[in-house]
Amino acid sequence: MAVYPGSFDPLTYGHIDIVERALEIFDKVILAIAHETSDASKRSLFTVEERIEMAKEVFEHLPNVIVDSFKGLLVNYVGETNARVILRGLRATSDFEYEFHMASMNRSLNIHLDTMFMMTSKDYFFVSSRSIKEVAALGGAVEGLVPNLIARRLKEKFKLPLTKEKQIGWEY
Ligand code: ADP
């Protein structure tokens, strides 16, 4: 069992790809969605309830994916599960420094936990929740980078007409 923590604001195909590949290694993956922080600059677009609801819908067909949320220290949350592995994805060298610090800090907080990294797939190395939000806010098409249900929710958030683009793979 592994815990895959993150903001998932929103979930992208980059995240989904990591989860699907992790299921080849671990019997269960807990997608652990972080609650909003009090830091206004890190405010999420979607509330934790919305992110949970969307993730549950996306992973409905995968019973070995458990969608949960956590507040506070990640190591405390992971310690309460049977998992001993924290899973994270890496896209670019720029991810490395932050992830290295966090993994080292988490290990110093709980020596029994280890962080495992999976490389992004070539199709999603440029996909981040932040860039998805930026593109969607400006009315760009994000279908193909996030599931259709999430593309639709982004359009609703940014009050864009749902019928404006008829992209390939766009479903109603
Ligand atoms: P956080 O705010 O904790 O970084 P994110 O939701 O942005 O949460 O990301 C969660 C994890 O997924 C991180 O380890 C991040 O590096 C990884 N990740 C995000 N996008 C991708 C992607 N396109 N391919 C692989 N890993 C990704």
Side-chain angles (χ1 to χ4, degrees):
M1 189 190 279
V3 172
Y4 181 28
S7 313
F8 306 108
D9 183 41
L11 198 66
T12 71
Y13 277 134
H15 298 129
I16 295 166
D17 175 63
I18 296 283
V19 170
E20 287 176 346
R21 285 160 56 202
L23 285 175
E24 304 280 329
I25 304 166
F26 300 101
D27 58 343
K28 279 198 173 68
V29 173
I30 302 177
L31 188 92
I33 304 180
H35 273 253
E36 290 93 345
T37 60
S38 48
D39 180 348
S41 67
K42 290 190 184 148
R43 261 277 135 80
S44 58
L45 175 67
F46 292 98
T47 65
V48 73
E49 290 79 19
E50 289 172 323
R51 285 177 279 146
I52 292 170
E53 182 206 320
M54 290 188 284
K56 282 194 170 157
E57 211 170 322
V58 167
F59 292 115
E60 208 174 16
H61 65 294
L62 294 174
N64 293 339
V65 178
I66 298 154
V67 176
D68 196 9
S69 65
F70 72 101
K71 265 188 194 145
L73 273 183
L74 174 65
V75 289
N76 290 349
Y77 169 77
V78 181
E80 287 164 10
T81 70
N82 284 328
R84 290 291 164 266
V85 171
I86 297 168
L87 187 66
R88 296 285 288 178
L90 283 180
R91 280 158 297 183
T93 47
S94 51
D95 281 345
F96 176 79
E97 202 168 343
Y98 173 70
E99 295 290 345
F100 176 56
H101 279 132
M102 210 162 60
S104 307
M105 177 57 85
N106 284 338
R107 198 155 162 73
S108 89
L109 292 170
N110 185 339
I111 195 76
H112 303 294
L113 302 181
D114 227 316
T115 305
M116 277 185 56
F117 295 96
M118 290 182 78
M119 287 294 166
T120 181
S121 88
K122 65 173 174 36
D123 299 324
Y124 304 121
F125 71 91
F126 59 96
V127 178
S128 67
S129 298
R130 176 201 282 242
S131 62
I132 291 291
K133 283 182 280 196
E134 283 170 3
V135 170
L138 298 171
V142 292
E143 289 81 3
L145 304 177
V146 299
N148 287 340
L149 76 96
I150 289 177
R152 196 177 306 134
R153 295 290 290 265
L154 281 162
K155 284 197 165 82
E156 283 166 14
K157 269 278 178 214
F158 294 119
K159 307 217 179 335
L160 294 165
L162 288 176
T163 48
K164 199 174 126 198
E165 295 103 348
K166 273 223 159 194
Q167 307 289 339
I168 295 168
W170 179 249
E171 285 161 21
Y172 292 91

